[in-house]
Amino acid sequence: MKKTASAKKAAAAKKAAAGKKAAAGKKAAAGKKAAAGKKAASAKTAAAGKKAASAKTAAAGKKAAPAKTAASAKTAAAAKTAAAGKKAASAKTAAAGKKAAPAKKAPAAKKVTVAPKKATARVKGAAPARAVVHPPSGESPTALVRRARRINRELAEVYPYAHPELDFANPFQLVVATVLSAQTTDLRVNQTTPALFAQYPTPEDLAAANPEEVEEILRPCGFFRAKTKSVIGLSKALVEDFGGEVPGRLEDLVKLPGVGRKTAFVVLGNAFGRPGITVDTHFQRLVRRWQWTAETDPDKIEAAVGALFPKSDWTDLSHHVIWHGRRICHARKPACGACPIAPLCPAYGEGETDPEKAKKLLKYEKGGFPGQRLNPPQAYLDAGGKPAPPLGAG
């Protein structure tokens, strides 16, 4: 019995000891678990701290970068400014050196004088202008057209009665007279043709003429042998190809012996009323002097000037320019002081600018002299023009 009781007591003690051991094991496991949790928490906290610190550092770096860029830009700008300053300083120094150096003296600039508004009236007590002025450099095409047309309007007021200055009664007489006018004056032709047309009034008559007899009549015109050949040849062509009639087309006229574009346009404009530009020596000289064109070839001059005006103006324009070239704007000594278009002329001053002296240079009716036609139109006579004297008249 006692043995059983002690065995029970020993078993109870063993059980109590095992319980205590189990409790201690559980407590130790719980401690280990808590320690591990704390360690993990501290690791997380540290990682978060490191991440935040690196983020802050990166942000600070980014913020600092533009500041550095701005600083570098300022530095570059300062460098550019300094370079520009050095360049300007060196340029000034070079300029000063050039100025100081005993360089060749530049030729003195010509005194530029503006053409008077009205060159025909002398201002009392004022010295006349005597310098070449105002080439319209850089003149636009529109400005050129306006200036050219204004010149034509001014000349139309000065020469309202302008007309062809060859005497003629029909297209045949006009084409012959125009061929004869080459390298001589219209006056000399007008003094010669009355005898020619009295003896050979039609193309048929002149085509059958004795060349020696025609040469004798045409001798005063100069180059009489070549001109005799031309007028007899064109008369034969009119008879054989056009039934004795002068054709009214440019392409037909230029086929006639001695007839070029200039002669053809004289005939078309004045015998048939068809517009054309007559580019003779006066016309060529004046349109270049007025800087309407720089061309020298007659065909190119015709095209360039024709583009500045409506076609309906071409024939009268030719008369206005030719008349002005014969009366005022002469080749060697233009009468600039008596010119009605002086304010529009880029060549003003090439001739005499004193109005009184210029007036003495005027020719034909402007200077009180007879015109070139023996039988001028009535409008010309009404305006005070005088007919030319016949050949041989004193």
Side-chain angles (χ1 to χ4, degrees), residues 194-218:
L196 179 69
F197 295 139
Q199 191 164 342
Y200 310 104
T202 67
E204 289 81 1
D205 295 327
L206 192 52
N210 182 340
E212 292 181 358
E213 293 179 1
V214 176
E215 285 177 5
E216 197 58 36
I217 295 173
L218 300 183

Side-chain angles (χ1 to χ4, degrees), residues 104-191:
K104 290 182 180 179
K105 193 174 180 182
K110 290 184 180 180
K111 190 175 179 182
V112 177
T113 308
V114 178
K117 288 184 179 179
K118 287 292 179 183
T120 50
R122 185 173 183 176
V123 180
K124 197 172 183 180
R130 296 181 183 278
V132 178
V133 295
H134 295 325
S137 56
E139 187 176 37
S140 69
T142 301
L144 173 59
V145 168
R146 288 175 178 169
R147 183 170 63 88
R149 293 185 182 187
R150 186 177 171 191
I151 286 176
N152 188 40
R153 288 196 300 271
E154 294 282 346
L155 295 180
E157 291 182 9
V158 179
Y159 312 110
Y161 42 79
H163 55 268
E165 294 195 273
L166 289 168
D167 283 324
F168 68 97
N170 53 56
F172 170 65
Q173 291 187 3
L174 180 57
V175 71
V176 170
T178 308
V179 169
L180 295 178
S181 69
Q183 296 177 300
T184 189
T185 64
D186 287 356
L187 172 59
R188 181 60 67 185
V189 174
N190 291 336
Q191 291 173 331

Side-chain angles (χ1 to χ4, degrees), residues 174-175 178 249-251 253-254 259-279 298-299 302-303 311 314-315 318-319:
L174 180 57
V175 71
T178 308
R249 299 194 312 164
L250 176 65
E251 54 268 35
L253 283 169
V254 294
V259 177
R261 287 180 70 88
K262 183 196 87 169
T263 300
F265 281 129
V266 170
V267 175
L268 290 173
N270 299 288
F272 294 98
R274 295 175 184 172
I277 294 178
T278 304
V279 185
D299 291 350
E302 177 195 325
K311 198 171 182 179
W314 288 357
T315 300
S318 301
H319 293 324

Side-chain angles (χ1 to χ4, degrees), residues 68-88:
K68 283 184 182 178
T69 306
S72 64
K74 283 184 180 178
T75 306
K80 280 186 182 177
T81 307
K86 283 182 183 177
K87 195 173 182 181

